[in-house]
Amino acid sequence: MTTAVAPPIKAKQRPGDRIFSTATVVAGSLILVVLAAVAIFLVAQSLPAFTADESAFKGGITNFWDYVWPLAFGTVWAAALALIMAVPVAIGIALFISHYAPRKLAQSLGYVVDLLAAVPSVVFGLWGITVLAPALQPLYSQLVEWFGWFPLFAGPVSGTGRTILTVAVVLAVMILPIMTALCREVFLQTPRLHEEAALALGATRWEMITMAVLPFGRPGIISAAMLGLGRALGETMAVAMVLSPASVISFALLQSQNPSTIAANIALNFPEAHGVGVNVLIATGLILFLITLAVNMVARFVINRRKAFSGAN
């Protein structure tokens, strides 16, 4: 004798739930539509640049790839230098706010960090060109004198201080607040029981941080670093104001001839561009779009792989 199985009872959705569910689906789909529209626009407008003749370029450049390669190199090089400088400082500030500073001081520092994240990039550019570059120029001269045998510090040194290293410092200061804020929030989410268990086993505060806080916050640190890297890759005004650009590929940090970045090159040349020159600049924007997309995909892969590894353990 078989027993009839009652059909499952579907929960009745309220109108507010249906509206909210539909709105979230529409919002999520809109992001994909906008991204696809941007990609289609960049590809369509970039096609003439790939087949442009020599007259569309300046400085003896014969094709688009010779034109964009130094710009792509400068973009990645400046952003990587900024990230190397900013990540350890951001982690240190976030740990101080979340685990070392008294409550009132931590709140004040948190407000300052959030305020710095809202400063416009043009302000950082003015600070870099009027204060930072002249202040660092004597240091650059000493570095060339002491370490000129090393390729990164090879001369001749810039007389104005407007070098790729100055730009990297400015970019590091720009991305520092957002990275610090994200790391701070991640560190504050560390399970309290993990911290107390480490302290109960006799660990010092720093040992507790290395055993409990940093492993828990590693995916958040990677996400913060990639977000900062994305901003550094796309920064325009600060780089255009501080850097003395040239169409070169050089790892030297202190010379006056520095590779420019894609975003700064577009900002400087777009007002005077016409005809195929506009398509060339849009094509460089397509390369920047692909670089940023690749960086985010790699970051997402690393985070998902680490989450899967942690779940398996």
Side-chain angles (χ1 to χ4, degrees), residues 52 64 73 82 116-117 185 188 193 230-231 275 313:
F64 171 75
F73 169 80
L116 286 175
E185 296 302 321
L188 289 174
L193 289 178
R231 182 179 181 185
N313 290 340

mmCIF file with all atom_site columns, all heavy atoms in Angstrom, residues 52 64 73 82 116-117 185 188 193 230-231 275 313:
data_model
loop_
_atom_site.group_PDB
_atom_site.id
_atom_site.type_symbol
_atom_site.label_atom_id
_atom_site.label_alt_id
_atom_site.label_comp_id
_atom_site.label_asym_id
_atom_site.label_entity_id
_atom_site.label_seq_id
_atom_site.pdbx_PDB_ins_code
_atom_site.Cartn_x
_atom_site.Cartn_y
_atom_site.Cartn_z
_atom_site.occupancy
_atom_site.B_iso_or_equiv
_atom_site.pdbx_formal_charge
_atom_site.auth_seq_id
_atom_site.auth_comp_id
_atom_site.auth_asym_id
_atom_site.auth_atom_id
_atom_site.pdbx_PDB_model_num
ATOM 1  N N   . ALA A 1 52  ? 45.783 51.689 -38.321 1.00 0.00 ? 52  ALA A N   1
ATOM 2  C CA  . ALA A 1 52  ? 46.164 53.046 -38.693 1.00 0.00 ? 52  ALA A CA  1
ATOM 3  C C   . ALA A 1 52  ? 47.578 53.069 -39.257 1.00 0.00 ? 52  ALA A C   1
ATOM 4  O O   . ALA A 1 52  ? 48.436 52.266 -38.876 1.00 0.00 ? 52  ALA A O   1
ATOM 5  C CB  . ALA A 1 52  ? 46.070 53.972 -37.476 1.00 0.00 ? 52  ALA A CB  1
ATOM 6  N N   . PHE A 1 64  ? 50.281 50.858 -33.810 1.00 0.00 ? 64  PHE A N   1
ATOM 7  C CA  . PHE A 1 64  ? 49.609 51.072 -32.534 1.00 0.00 ? 64  PHE A CA  1
ATOM 8  C C   . PHE A 1 64  ? 50.310 50.368 -31.391 1.00 0.00 ? 64  PHE A C   1
ATOM 9  O O   . PHE A 1 64  ? 50.409 50.902 -30.285 1.00 0.00 ? 64  PHE A O   1
ATOM 10 C CB  . PHE A 1 64  ? 48.160 50.580 -32.634 1.00 0.00 ? 64  PHE A CB  1
ATOM 11 C CG  . PHE A 1 64  ? 47.433 50.565 -31.317 1.00 0.00 ? 64  PHE A CG  1
ATOM 12 C CD1 . PHE A 1 64  ? 46.985 51.736 -30.741 1.00 0.00 ? 64  PHE A CD1 1
ATOM 13 C CD2 . PHE A 1 64  ? 47.224 49.373 -30.636 1.00 0.00 ? 64  PHE A CD2 1
ATOM 14 C CE1 . PHE A 1 64  ? 46.324 51.731 -29.516 1.00 0.00 ? 64  PHE A CE1 1
ATOM 15 C CE2 . PHE A 1 64  ? 46.567 49.355 -29.417 1.00 0.00 ? 64  PHE A CE2 1
ATOM 16 C CZ  . PHE A 1 64  ? 46.115 50.538 -28.857 1.00 0.00 ? 64  PHE A CZ  1
ATOM 17 N N   . PHE A 1 73  ? 53.221 49.607 -20.021 1.00 0.00 ? 73  PHE A N   1
ATOM 18 C CA  . PHE A 1 73  ? 54.300 49.338 -19.071 1.00 0.00 ? 73  PHE A CA  1
ATOM 19 C C   . PHE A 1 73  ? 54.305 50.381 -17.954 1.00 0.00 ? 73  PHE A C   1
ATOM 20 O O   . PHE A 1 73  ? 54.415 50.041 -16.770 1.00 0.00 ? 73  PHE A O   1
ATOM 21 C CB  . PHE A 1 73  ? 55.644 49.341 -19.796 1.00 0.00 ? 73  PHE A CB  1
ATOM 22 C CG  . PHE A 1 73  ? 56.826 49.341 -18.866 1.00 0.00 ? 73  PHE A CG  1
ATOM 23 C CD1 . PHE A 1 73  ? 57.254 48.170 -18.258 1.00 0.00 ? 73  PHE A CD1 1
ATOM 24 C CD2 . PHE A 1 73  ? 57.504 50.523 -18.578 1.00 0.00 ? 73  PHE A CD2 1
ATOM 25 C CE1 . PHE A 1 73  ? 58.332 48.171 -17.397 1.00 0.00 ? 73  PHE A CE1 1
ATOM 26 C CE2 . PHE A 1 73  ? 58.581 50.535 -17.720 1.00 0.00 ? 73  PHE A CE2 1
ATOM 27 C CZ  . PHE A 1 73  ? 59.002 49.361 -17.124 1.00 0.00 ? 73  PHE A CZ  1
ATOM 28 N N   . ALA A 1 82  ? 53.329 51.640 -6.349  1.00 0.00 ? 82  ALA A N   1
ATOM 29 C CA  . ALA A 1 82  ? 52.431 52.196 -5.338  1.00 0.00 ? 82  ALA A CA  1
ATOM 30 C C   . ALA A 1 82  ? 51.880 51.103 -4.428  1.00 0.00 ? 82  ALA A C   1
ATOM 31 O O   . ALA A 1 82  ? 51.772 51.292 -3.205  1.00 0.00 ? 82  ALA A O   1
ATOM 32 C CB  . ALA A 1 82  ? 51.285 52.949 -6.019  1.00 0.00 ? 82  ALA A CB  1
ATOM 33 N N   . LEU A 1 116 ? 40.364 61.025 4.401   1.00 0.00 ? 116 LEU A N   1
ATOM 34 C CA  . LEU A 1 116 ? 41.392 61.027 3.365   1.00 0.00 ? 116 LEU A CA  1
ATOM 35 C C   . LEU A 1 116 ? 40.913 60.310 2.104   1.00 0.00 ? 116 LEU A C   1
ATOM 36 O O   . LEU A 1 116 ? 41.326 60.659 0.995   1.00 0.00 ? 116 LEU A O   1
ATOM 37 C CB  . LEU A 1 116 ? 42.663 60.355 3.887   1.00 0.00 ? 116 LEU A CB  1
ATOM 38 C CG  . LEU A 1 116 ? 43.499 61.162 4.880   1.00 0.00 ? 116 LEU A CG  1
ATOM 39 C CD1 . LEU A 1 116 ? 44.656 60.317 5.388   1.00 0.00 ? 116 LEU A CD1 1
ATOM 40 C CD2 . LEU A 1 116 ? 44.027 62.429 4.214   1.00 0.00 ? 116 LEU A CD2 1
ATOM 41 N N   . ALA A 1 117 ? 40.057 59.315 2.267   1.00 0.00 ? 117 ALA A N   1
ATOM 42 C CA  . ALA A 1 117 ? 39.550 58.592 1.102   1.00 0.00 ? 117 ALA A CA  1
ATOM 43 C C   . ALA A 1 117 ? 38.675 59.472 0.218   1.00 0.00 ? 117 ALA A C   1
ATOM 44 O O   . ALA A 1 117 ? 38.473 59.157 -0.954  1.00 0.00 ? 117 ALA A O   1
ATOM 45 C CB  . ALA A 1 117 ? 38.767 57.357 1.553   1.00 0.00 ? 117 ALA A CB  1
ATOM 46 N N   . GLU A 1 185 ? 38.098 46.929 8.680   1.00 0.00 ? 185 GLU A N   1
ATOM 47 C CA  . GLU A 1 185 ? 36.811 46.260 8.860   1.00 0.00 ? 185 GLU A CA  1
ATOM 48 C C   . GLU A 1 185 ? 36.959 44.745 8.843   1.00 0.00 ? 185 GLU A C   1
ATOM 49 O O   . GLU A 1 185 ? 36.265 44.044 9.586   1.00 0.00 ? 185 GLU A O   1
ATOM 50 C CB  . GLU A 1 185 ? 35.843 46.723 7.762   1.00 0.00 ? 185 GLU A CB  1
ATOM 51 C CG  . GLU A 1 185 ? 35.502 48.197 7.815   1.00 0.00 ? 185 GLU A CG  1
ATOM 52 C CD  . GLU A 1 185 ? 34.896 48.597 9.144   1.00 0.00 ? 185 GLU A CD  1
ATOM 53 O OE1 . GLU A 1 185 ? 34.094 47.809 9.696   1.00 0.00 ? 185 GLU A OE1 1
ATOM 54 O OE2 . GLU A 1 185 ? 35.225 49.689 9.642   1.00 0.00 ? 185 GLU A OE2 1
ATOM 55 N N   . LEU A 1 188 ? 38.427 43.597 12.190  1.00 0.00 ? 188 LEU A N   1
ATOM 56 C CA  . LEU A 1 188 ? 37.442 43.681 13.271  1.00 0.00 ? 188 LEU A CA  1
ATOM 57 C C   . LEU A 1 188 ? 36.436 42.531 13.221  1.00 0.00 ? 188 LEU A C   1
ATOM 58 O O   . LEU A 1 188 ? 35.753 42.273 14.220  1.00 0.00 ? 188 LEU A O   1
ATOM 59 C CB  . LEU A 1 188 ? 36.698 45.019 13.209  1.00 0.00 ? 188 LEU A CB  1
ATOM 60 C CG  . LEU A 1 188 ? 37.527 46.257 13.595  1.00 0.00 ? 188 LEU A CG  1
ATOM 61 C CD1 . LEU A 1 188 ? 36.721 47.532 13.357  1.00 0.00 ? 188 LEU A CD1 1
ATOM 62 C CD2 . LEU A 1 188 ? 37.964 46.185 15.050  1.00 0.00 ? 188 LEU A CD2 1
ATOM 63 N N   . LEU A 1 193 ? 36.413 34.374 19.575  1.00 0.00 ? 193 LEU A N   1
ATOM 64 C CA  . LEU A 1 193 ? 36.847 33.125 20.205  1.00 0.00 ? 193 LEU A CA  1
ATOM 65 C C   . LEU A 1 193 ? 38.224 32.704 19.703  1.00 0.00 ? 193 LEU A C   1
ATOM 66 O O   . LEU A 1 193 ? 39.023 32.146 20.466  1.00 0.00 ? 193 LEU A O   1
ATOM 67 C CB  . LEU A 1 193 ? 35.828 32.013 19.925  1.00 0.00 ? 193 LEU A CB  1
ATOM 68 C CG  . LEU A 1 193 ? 34.480 32.148 20.647  1.00 0.00 ? 193 LEU A CG  1
ATOM 69 C CD1 . LEU A 1 193 ? 33.548 31.011 20.233  1.00 0.00 ? 193 LEU A CD1 1
ATOM 70 C CD2 . LEU A 1 193 ? 34.682 32.141 22.162  1.00 0.00 ? 193 LEU A CD2 1
ATOM 71 N N   . GLY A 1 230 ? 43.399 48.738 -8.623  1.00 0.00 ? 230 GLY A N   1
ATOM 72 C CA  . GLY A 1 230 ? 42.500 49.212 -9.672  1.00 0.00 ? 230 GLY A CA  1
ATOM 73 C C   . GLY A 1 230 ? 42.425 50.720 -9.727  1.00 0.00 ? 230 GLY A C   1
ATOM 74 O O   . GLY A 1 230 ? 42.418 51.317 -10.810 1.00 0.00 ? 230 GLY A O   1
ATOM 75 N N   . ARG A 1 231 ? 42.405 51.353 -8.566  1.00 0.00 ? 231 ARG A N   1
ATOM 76 C CA  . ARG A 1 231 ? 42.390 52.819 -8.569  1.00 0.00 ? 231 ARG A CA  1
ATOM 77 C C   . ARG A 1 231 ? 43.712 53.382 -9.069  1.00 0.00 ? 231 ARG A C   1
ATOM 78 O O   . ARG A 1 231 ? 43.738 54.371 -9.802  1.00 0.00 ? 231 ARG A O   1
ATOM 79 C CB  . ARG A 1 231 ? 42.101 53.355 -7.166  1.00 0.00 ? 231 ARG A CB  1
ATOM 80 C CG  . ARG A 1 231 ? 42.023 54.878 -7.152  1.00 0.00 ? 231 ARG A CG  1
ATOM 81 C CD  . ARG A 1 231 ? 41.717 55.466 -5.807  1.00 0.00 ? 231 ARG A CD  1
ATOM 82 N NE  . ARG A 1 231 ? 41.641 56.929 -5.908  1.00 0.00 ? 231 ARG A NE  1
ATOM 83 C CZ  . ARG A 1 231 ? 41.477 57.753 -4.877  1.00 0.00 ? 231 ARG A CZ  1
ATOM 84 N NH1 . ARG A 1 231 ? 41.367 57.257 -3.660  1.00 0.00 ? 231 ARG A NH1 1
ATOM 85 N NH2 . ARG A 1 231 ? 41.407 59.057 -5.063  1.00 0.00 ? 231 ARG A NH2 1
ATOM 86 N N   . GLY A 1 275 ? 40.196 62.824 -35.668 1.00 0.00 ? 275 GLY A N   1
ATOM 87 C CA  . GLY A 1 275 ? 40.262 61.743 -36.639 1.00 0.00 ? 275 GLY A CA  1
ATOM 88 C C   . GLY A 1 275 ? 40.669 60.429 -36.008 1.00 0.00 ? 275 GLY A C   1
ATOM 89 O O   . GLY A 1 275 ? 40.143 60.012 -34.968 1.00 0.00 ? 275 GLY A O   1
ATOM 90 N N   . ASN A 1 313 ? 40.271 22.394 4.617   1.00 0.00 ? 313 ASN A N   1
ATOM 91 C CA  . ASN A 1 313 ? 40.940 22.117 5.869   1.00 0.00 ? 313 ASN A CA  1
ATOM 92 C C   . ASN A 1 313 ? 39.975 22.141 7.043   1.00 0.00 ? 313 ASN A C   1
ATOM 93 O O   . ASN A 1 313 ? 40.304 21.694 8.114   1.00 0.00 ? 313 ASN A O   1
ATOM 94 C CB  . ASN A 1 313 ? 42.048 23.135 6.103   1.00 0.00 ? 313 ASN A CB  1
ATOM 95 C CG  . ASN A 1 313 ? 43.207 22.941 5.130   1.00 0.00 ? 313 ASN A CG  1
ATOM 96 O OD1 . ASN A 1 313 ? 43.351 21.883 4.551   1.00 0.00 ? 313 ASN A OD1 1
ATOM 97 N ND2 . ASN A 1 313 ? 44.028 23.965 4.988   1.00 0.00 ? 313 ASN A ND2 1
#
